[in-house]
Amino acid sequence: MTHNKKLVQQFITALPHATALGMELELLEDGLAVVAMPYDPRFVGDPATGVIHGGAVSALMDTASGAAVMCHASQPAATATIDLRIDYMRPATPGQRLTARAECYHVTRSVAFVRVTTTDEDSSRPVAAATGAFTLERTKGSRG
Amino acid sequence: MSERRKPEPVQVVKQRRDAALRSLVDGVPYIQFLGIHFDRRGDELTAVLPFDEKLIGNPMLPAIHGGATAAFLEVAAIIELSWSLLWEEMEQGRLDATSPEALRAFRLPKTIDFTVDYLRSGLPRDAYARARINRSGRRYASVHVEAWQDNRSRLFAQATGHFLMPSRDDNGGQNGDGGQNGLLAP
């Protein structure tokens, strides 16, 4: 498990798009990942308010979800998003760091199901939440 | 509309429309960050995402990051919706597209939800997207968007989103609280 976690950590931090968005991996446990994204004026979606673009929040949640799948106990070899449904509850407060917590709550032989919630520095009121289905490519010889 | 005016020279009309579109797109930092631009044919828009290393998700394949794809589709949907609102205001003469101030006061719709359907992996090539407004009401809108790379008929992703329309104010449309919080307002 530890071996896989290290690999997942290396994998996630090597994703060019995640790096470009300044994402930081904060926690990785069996089927659980926490990824943060510091505020950056380049990611603003509404110049009138300084609120981060929904697309950047989606990218954060997709990354956290993929990481949660990759560190699931079944030790997948690879994953890709099949579908992601995002709800935007409120605008993220400008200037604040965003944190996405993703949980891979169920896997079948070939599909992983994930829920993810994003908060800013006020963790009591979520900014966005998503549910997703991901492909699960198993390593040779592993069983579903 | 009662008096028939002399038609404007085509170049004047084009310049005005292009300037309005540019102000809409160039004002959003995240669109610039991703490098997205828009092709316009009349009121029809095509979003273009030129390939860039920083869009890569899986460097082994390599494939475009699912998050970059989602962002591209959402940008295409929001700009299509904003453009349709702006177009109407502009063409009916309620908004002076030559005034930077009037364009700055124009508010963007807010995303309520967005569902992305990943059909195939995004290749390291340019991507294109076109959005279709299925319903545009006073308060809510539903938009569908399709993205492709080499072949228009082989989509690599599609999405549907719901949006909260900017509150329309008779004296200029500046009365936006700038957030999805408006959903909870009576």
Side-chain angles (χ1 to χ4, degrees):
Chain A
M1 201 63 52
T2 332
H3 177 64
N4 199 46
K5 221 177 273 179
K6 202 165 271 175
L7 278 179
V8 173
Q9 192 160 1
Q10 283 167 358
F11 183 74
I12 298 297
T13 46
L15 303 180
H17 192 60
T19 311
L21 289 169
M23 290 183 205
E24 296 160 10
L25 189 62
E26 288 195 342
L27 180 82
L28 211 51
E29 276 175 18
D30 290 354
L32 189 76
V34 178
V35 182
M37 185 173 73
Y39 183 83
D40 190 317
R42 292 175 301 162
F43 310 155
V44 165
D46 190 343
T49 57
V51 170
I52 291 292
H53 197 283
V57 181
S58 305
L60 175 66
M61 292 199 289
D62 187 60
T63 305
S65 300
V69 174
M70 288 301 288
C71 69
H72 186 265
S74 59
Q75 304 205 13
T79 186
T81 320
I82 297 172
D83 138 276
L84 194 67
R85 185 199 187 281
I86 307 140
D87 289 329
Y88 296 100
M89 272 89 83
R90 67 174 176 95
T93 306
Q96 294 193 3
R97 175 185 179 88
L98 295 179
T99 307
R101 185 185 177 88
E103 181 200 356
C104 175
Y105 64 93
H106 185 76
V107 299
T108 68
R109 197 174 316 202
S110 48
V111 183
F113 298 91
V114 182
R115 316 182 245 265
V116 50
T117 306
T118 299
T119 55
D120 54 20
E121 286 161 27
D122 174 2
S123 57
S124 65
R125 296 187 308 135
V127 163
T131 53
F134 288 73
T135 64
L136 194 77
E137 281 160 51
R138 294 190 177 262
T139 41
K140 267 183 207 153
S142 76
R143 290 157 146 261
Chain B
M1 291 297 136
S2 51
E3 283 172 50
R4 205 166 253 289
R5 280 181 299 169
K6 210 176 152 192
E8 288 177 294
V10 62
Q11 224 34 56
V12 173
V13 178
K14 262 192 191 168
Q15 265 170 20
R16 184 178 59 227
R17 291 173 179 171
D18 286 340
L21 178 60
R22 221 178 305 119
S23 86
L24 194 62
V25 173
D26 292 358
V28 182
Y30 193 57
I31 298 181
Q32 302 312 307
F33 174 76
L34 292 175
I36 300 169
H37 65 264
F38 286 81
D39 283 350
R40 184 182 72 80
R41 299 282 178 274
D43 69 344
E44 184 202 63
L45 298 182
T46 306
V48 182
L49 175 71
F51 177 72
D52 191 281
E53 279 299 321
K54 72 168 184 284
L55 302 174
I56 290 287
N58 187 339
M60 259 106 81
L61 289 176
I64 294 182
H65 194 288
T69 302
F72 177 49
L73 291 167
E74 194 177 327
V75 163
I78 292 183
I79 293 298
E80 177 70 35
L81 194 55
S82 308
W83 175 243
S84 79
L85 295 172
L86 185 60
W87 176 276
E88 202 187 308
E89 296 287 302
M90 189 168 61
E91 295 306 303
Q92 297 193 354
R94 290 195 296 263
L95 185 141
D96 178 10
T98 56
S99 149
E101 218 141 82
L103 288 170
R104 254 200 305 279
F106 184 80
R107 304 306 301 260
L108 299 172
K110 312 282 172 204
T111 314
I112 299 167
D113 63 56
F114 202 68
T115 306
V116 189
D117 184 5
Y118 295 90
L119 303 170
R120 10 178 100 75
S121 66
L123 304 170
R125 306 210 213 319
D126 293 0
Y128 312 98
R130 245 178 240 161
R132 180 183 73 232
I133 301 167
N134 283 328
R135 149 109 184 138
S136 176
R138 196 173 53 83
R139 297 182 71 179
Y140 310 111
S142 176
V143 182
H144 183 78
V145 49
E146 295 180 339
W148 70 97
Q149 294 188 302
D150 294 330
N151 303 114
R152 176 66 179 92
S153 58
R154 277 171 63 88
L155 303 180
F156 79 100
Q158 60 179 352
T160 296
H162 295 96
F163 298 87
L164 184 65
M165 301 300 249
S167 47
R168 257 191 260 187
D169 210 18
D170 286 340
N171 47 27
Q174 261 180 314
N175 178 36
D177 65 354
Q180 284 96 327
N181 294 341
L183 265 181
L184 303 172

